[in-house]
Amino acid sequence: MDESGGSGQPRSGTDRPAEPHAGPPAHTTEPHDGGTRTDTDSTPAESAEQGTPDQAPSDGTESPATTGPAPEADGERDTGTRPAEPTPAADEKDPATPQPHTAQPGLGSTPDDHHRTLAHSGAPKNPPPPQPPQPRGGLLMGRPFGVPVYVAPSWFLVAALITWVFGGQLDRVLPELGAARYLVSLFFAVAFYASVLVHELAHTVAALRFKLPVRRIQLQFFGGVSEIEKEAETPGREFVLAFVGPLLSLVLAGVFYLAMLPVEPGTVPGVLLAGLMISNLIVAAFNLLPGLPLDGGRMLRAVVWKITGKPMTGTIAAAWVGRALAVSVLIGLPLLTQSGALGSTAEDNVGMDTVMDALLAAILAAIIWTGAGNSLRMARLREHLPDLRARTLTRRAVPVETDTPLSEALRRANDAGARALVVVDAEGSPLSLVREAAIVGVPEHRRPWVAVSGLAQDLTDGMRVSAELAGEDLLDALRATPATEYLVVEETGEIYGVLSAADVERAFVKAMARPS
């Protein structure tokens, strides 16, 4: 159990408030884009606009557990708790500007007051959302290098499509196969996606080599994706991470070409090897196109990042090139097919074939356009993640002993301007956190007879977070141990306050709404 130092002792309502703590900003990185996608399944949150631990969000809405703070005198300090600064009103124009400390309504506040006390806070207007389950990728096929490989349900659709189309081609080359051609076509579809898996494993191995965690590999409708959770630290590593996939596809094409040389062309092995060689060449060439979310777009991003020194600039450039590429595919692919540039004759490009070409172009264009937009959104998220700081979002807390009546604990919190209660033992070590939702459920006339220990949630190791956590590190800590409240402690073990998951949610949403 952590030692709370001088801050762990219970205090009375006559204690004088302490000065607010301030925390340094944190640095984080931007996401991976393209074929190796980066995700942040993080608990969303909204950063406080001022550098005080318990300040309510300045979005014009009331925090569900805001307490009217007491007046503060400069230079006064108490080790038991820290006072709340006045929450900015909804009509304040510059929430980042420090406001003077003034007395606010206490427990007797009327409904018209801008601030509400801990005791009179109603049911939370923005309850913390349930933690999202770990993403399911479909059918688990294995864990090479410790990374799970999933086959999405959409793969079975595209495998059937490849089997049907390639089977039609085999009927022209090897008509003697009969219905067995579809079995050969199914083998080709599986072998092709095995090549795609090798492509993705190249990204995965490179990411693990750079100590970047990989969540999973998923084979889906159009190819595959390696979900890398963190950003490469340098543009050089980003370039290598993107290039190894197409490079390995080119190597596979060369291997299939060499294997095809001693094989007679008009046989089943010859046709399969030729098809795999061509398909890997197509995969490599398509992924080298210079636009997000393709590997070539990530390579372009790395080059612009290297030139400008700004990863966000590289993302913007590569994303807009990706959108231009999507338009080009939508218009150009059907035109190339109809003109015979892809090896077909004009007589073949009528009716159903024309519709299929247009549909394929539309799907590819939509995937590229959507991926480019997602890359921009993820980059903006990573750009604003440093705004999420535990020290800034933390609510001030009052330590109380287990047998303290709820009414007395709320009186101390109101007098101190605190918005949370921490149950401590006789030595001041934190034991549990009084849940805000539990306080709301106790009628006021019952509060003198209810001990705070009956409303508290026992602390686990994961519910203790450092006041220095920020950005991705903070979100990772909250995601590892889902809870509604967390005890925030200093490096020395002293109680800093209580962090509400709902506050983090609102801070996340607000950070994402800010322009880059």
Side-chain angles (χ1 to χ4, degrees):
M1 183 174 293
D2 293 339
E3 293 294 332
S4 60
S7 65
Q9 300 299 331
R11 58 172 293 165
S12 65
T14 59
D15 292 335
R16 291 180 298 178
E19 292 180 352
H21 297 269
H27 173 72
T28 188
T29 57
E30 293 185 28
H32 289 290
D33 308 308
T36 49
R37 184 179 70 208
T38 330
D39 289 337
T40 48
D41 283 341
S42 30
T43 305
E46 172 184 86
S47 57
E49 295 294 328
Q50 302 182 25
T52 56
D54 68 325
Q55 186 169 1
S58 57
D59 55 1
T61 61
E62 292 179 335
S63 175
T66 306
T67 305
E72 174 184 348
D74 291 337
E76 294 181 348
R77 182 175 182 81
D78 176 79
T79 58
T81 185
R82 296 166 290 114
E85 289 186 294
T87 306
D91 58 352
E92 286 181 344
K93 295 182 180 179
D94 186 6
T97 304
Q99 303 296 324
H101 298 286
T102 58
Q104 298 294 338
L107 280 172
S109 59
T110 65
D112 293 335
D113 293 324
H114 285 287
H115 304 274
R116 304 180 71 188
T117 64
L118 181 64
H120 286 81
S121 60
K125 295 181 180 179
N126 295 304
Q131 292 289 328
Q134 290 297 324
R136 295 181 179 179
L139 181 64
L140 178 63
M141 301 300 296
R143 295 179 178 271
F145 306 102
V147 178
V149 176
Y150 292 95
V151 173
S154 60
W155 178 85
F156 296 95
L157 176 62
V158 74
L161 181 62
I162 291 175
T163 301
W164 176 58
V165 173
F166 194 68
Q169 299 294 328
L170 280 178
D171 191 36
R172 300 175 185 177
V173 180
L174 300 170
E176 65 275 10
L177 287 177
R181 67 180 183 273
Y182 292 109
L183 184 61
V184 176
S185 299
L186 179 60
F187 178 83
F188 170 78
V190 173
F192 169 68
Y193 268 87
S195 301
V196 174
L197 175 59
V198 172
H199 175 110
E200 297 304 328
L201 284 174
H203 292 304
T204 297
V205 171
L208 297 176
R209 174 67 178 82
F210 295 144
K211 302 188 184 308
L212 301 175
V214 182
R215 177 177 302 167
R216 64 175 179 173
I217 297 174
Q218 186 184 49
L219 300 179
Q220 47 189 306
F221 190 81
F222 275 101
V225 59
S226 302
E227 297 184 5
I228 301 175
E229 296 185 358
K230 292 188 180 296
E231 166 80 354
E233 296 178 355
T234 65
R237 289 186 174 186
E238 173 79 354
F239 188 93
V240 171
L241 195 59
F243 181 60
V244 291
L247 176 62
L248 204 54
S249 293
L250 289 174
V251 170
L252 285 175
V255 170
F256 288 127
Y257 174 75
L258 293 177
M260 186 178 62
L261 292 179
V263 177
E264 187 177 347
T267 61
V268 170
V271 172
L272 285 176
L273 290 172
L276 290 172
M277 179 196 69
I278 295 173
S279 62
N280 275 277
L281 283 175
I282 293 174
V283 168
F286 183 73
N287 276 278
L288 286 173
L289 293 175
L292 288 175
L294 304 175
D295 293 328
R298 296 183 57 223
M299 294 162 63
L300 173 63
R301 174 182 182 268
V303 171
V304 177
W305 177 4
K306 178 67 174 179
I307 294 173
T308 63
K310 298 178 180 180
M312 186 63 182
T313 302
T315 301
I316 293 173
W320 278 107
V321 172
R323 287 175 169 175
L325 182 62
V327 175
S328 300
V329 169
L330 180 63
I331 300 174
L333 185 59
L335 293 178
L336 286 174
T337 305
Q338 291 179 4
S339 66
L342 297 181
S344 57
T345 62
E347 290 78 7
D348 295 329
N349 297 304
V350 293
M352 192 62 181
D353 287 344
T354 302
V355 174
M356 290 296 294
D357 292 338
L359 180 60
L360 177 63
I363 294 175
L364 286 174
I367 291 174
I368 296 173
W369 182 280
T370 303
N374 288 338
S375 299
L376 282 175
R377 283 189 290 274
M378 291 298 297
R380 185 174 64 183
L381 165 63
R382 296 300 179 101
E383 189 178 46
H384 291 312
L385 270 183
D387 294 339
L388 305 181
R389 298 190 293 271
R391 189 175 293 278
T392 301
L393 295 169
T394 297
R395 300 177 177 185
R396 292 185 178 88
V398 167
V400 294
E401 292 186 334
T402 56
D403 57 351
T404 304
L406 178 58
S407 59
E408 171 62 15
L410 293 175
R411 184 190 67 80
R412 295 182 190 180
N414 292 328
D415 289 347
R419 299 171 56 203
L421 299 173
V422 179
V423 179
V424 298
D425 60 17
E427 287 74 34
S429 297
L431 300 175
S432 55
L433 300 178
V434 179
R435 294 174 292 115
E436 182 181 345
I439 295 175
V440 175
V442 179
E444 189 168 355
H445 70 276
R446 291 276 302 155
R447 291 173 180 173
W449 317 105
V450 177
V452 292
S453 58
L455 308 174
Q457 179 180 7
D458 292 339
L459 284 171
T460 63
D461 290 340
M463 291 175 62
R464 289 180 172 89
V465 299
S466 170
E468 303 302 325
L469 288 181
E472 281 189 272
D473 293 335
L474 173 61
L475 297 179
D476 289 343
L478 302 190
R479 186 171 65 243
T481 307
T484 56
E485 289 96 7
Y486 300 85
L487 179 68
V488 182
V489 296
E490 296 281 12
E491 293 181 354
T492 59
E494 293 182 353
I495 298 174
Y496 185 76
V498 172
L499 178 65
S500 169
D503 291 345
V504 182
E505 167 76 21
R506 287 188 290 268
F508 182 92
V509 173
K510 189 168 186 178
M512 283 298 294
R514 264 190 236 122
S516 300

